[in-house]
Amino acid sequence: MTANLREIAARAGVSVRTVSNVVSGAGPVAPATRARVQQVLDEVGYRPNLAARHLRGGRTGVVGLVVPELTSAYFAELAGLVVASALDRSWTVVVNESGGTAEGERRLLTGGGSRMLDGLVVSPWALPPQELSAHADRLPLVVLGERDPAGTADHVTVDNVAAAHAVTTHLVGLGRRRIAAVGLQPQLANGTAAQRLLGYRQALADAGLPHEEALEVPVATLHRAEGARAAHALLDGPHPPDAVFCFSDGLALGALRVLLRSGRRVPEDVALAGFDDVEDGRYATPSLTTVSPDKRQIADRALACLADRIGRRGPAAAQRIVVPHRLVVRESTAGAQETSQGTGPA
């Protein structure tokens, strides 16, 4: 006969509530305590009746993830990490694509499907903070990215200003003086591009270099085709750049093709860097220097916040969590050598 929670608690030397929190994946439990309880659970072969547990708790065991686009390598990788992290909590994840529009985000936050979810992790590009705040009042909500939910939902983000500053400073340190920035998105309200532009400009100012609007290229999307278009525009200008910082690896990979086909050597003639550290960039020729946000920690911290929200009976102060990033220097700026420089708060 399978041991019950009281017997497991006695063997692990903890309370029944602590065992219940470990089994359900909700509620705060210290890592060492969680490991000790899980060891006992494994030893006795405990298997929870998920259907009964969810019925008793008024929960479904299903959480949602909303991202702007699944064709983006960054969001696809992040979604996989969220699903993997959710498995540790015996949760199922429903992944949806909003298209990055206010209408799409609103539909997924207010539609009938959201009422079947225990909580939701969303990466918004369009909805204003006050609207995100309203949704956080009725559903446990964690917001990813730069769209601050006005202090009403937990917020997991990366320091984009510091990250862009680090990339640009690296390029300046290589002796580059005409550094282009590709990825401005004035049509979006999420703030990502604006923060990366700010970090880029601050690094130039710190180096005593002016920023030139002719070297700051807006894009419609963060995809390769837009990176290629931007590279063509820069090379056709009267004073082409000697370095290019793209606000996504997708843009950088598109720019890389155009640079090489034009006869430019990368990095000898033009150094190139991206942002996101997606797998394709690691295997490009040359491999791509990039900012690597800790995507695994983004997934883990977001679900930890969501579990805490789901397990609470009343309101709690919102958390703002800044996960670390690092600058990964590869062949597209440094030739054959490769290094990694950790930056940002741990």
Side-chain angles (χ1 to χ4, degrees), residues 4-312:
N4 60 36
L5 295 188
R6 189 176 301 278
E7 293 167 338
I8 292 168
R11 289 185 58 167
V14 299
S15 68
V16 173
R17 178 59 180 271
T18 297
V19 176
S20 178
N21 285 345
V22 172
V23 171
S24 67
V29 180
T33 303
R34 183 181 295 276
R36 187 166 75 251
V37 173
Q38 189 61 55
Q39 182 178 352
V40 176
L41 291 170
D42 294 341
E43 288 172 355
V44 302
Y46 181 81
R47 293 292 180 271
N49 183 329
L50 296 180
R53 187 184 83 200
H54 296 321
L55 286 173
R56 286 195 301 271
R59 299 173 188 153
T60 63
V62 180
V63 298
L65 172 66
V66 175
V67 296
E69 51 184 23
L70 287 168
T71 52
S72 159
Y74 171 80
F75 286 116
E77 290 180 15
L78 181 62
L81 291 169
V82 169
V83 170
S85 185
L87 285 176
D88 295 337
R89 301 177 183 276
S90 300
W91 287 353
T92 298
V93 181
V94 175
V95 181
N96 271 302
E97 182 179 69
S98 69
T101 66
E103 179 183 0
E105 291 168 2
R106 191 176 294 117
R107 172 177 52 82
L108 292 170
L109 282 164
T110 62
S114 68
R115 291 192 288 272
M116 302 178 64
L117 302 175
D118 292 335
L120 187 65
V121 178
V122 58
S123 181
W125 275 2
L127 286 184
Q130 59 270 26
E131 189 163 348
L132 292 171
S133 173
H135 293 300
D137 290 339
R138 67 171 188 82
L139 178 71
L141 184 68
V142 177
V143 175
L144 304 181
E146 292 63 48
R147 205 78 171 122
D148 194 327
T152 58
D154 295 324
H155 181 206
V156 181
T157 188
V158 173
D159 190 339
N160 280 284
V161 176
H165 189 285
V167 177
T168 309
T169 299
H170 166 66
L171 295 171
V172 170
L174 297 174
R176 310 301 168 129
R177 293 298 178 265
R178 291 187 52 76
I179 303 171
V182 173
L184 284 68
Q185 292 186 291
Q187 75 278 16
L188 291 183
N190 67 347
T192 303
Q195 291 183 17
R196 293 177 188 176
L197 180 65
L198 177 60
Y200 157 84
R201 287 180 173 178
Q202 286 180 350
L204 291 180
D206 290 346
L209 298 173
H211 73 266
E212 302 179 37
E213 291 189 5
L215 293 178
E216 298 175 352
V217 186
V219 297
T221 70
L222 299 178
H223 299 167
R224 299 180 197 209
E226 283 292 287
R229 182 194 60 77
H232 276 301
L234 288 167
L235 295 180
D236 290 343
H239 303 290
D242 57 9
V244 180
F245 167 37
C246 293
F247 291 1
S248 78
D249 284 354
L251 291 171
L253 290 169
L256 177 61
R257 176 175 174 81
V258 170
L259 290 170
L260 295 176
R261 286 179 66 86
S262 74
R264 268 73 168 184
R265 299 169 300 162
V266 178
E268 292 85 354
D269 300 324
V270 183
L272 178 67
F275 202 114
D276 289 338
D277 193 19
V278 302
E279 186 177 28
D280 286 353
R282 299 169 214 160
Y283 293 95
T285 304
S287 57
L288 185 63
T289 291
T290 188
V291 171
S292 180
D294 192 333
K295 293 188 282 287
R296 182 172 300 280
Q297 191 168 148
I298 291 172
D300 290 344
R301 297 295 293 272
L303 290 190
C305 288
L306 199 60
D308 189 48
R309 290 275 165 187
I310 292 169
R312 287 182 181 272

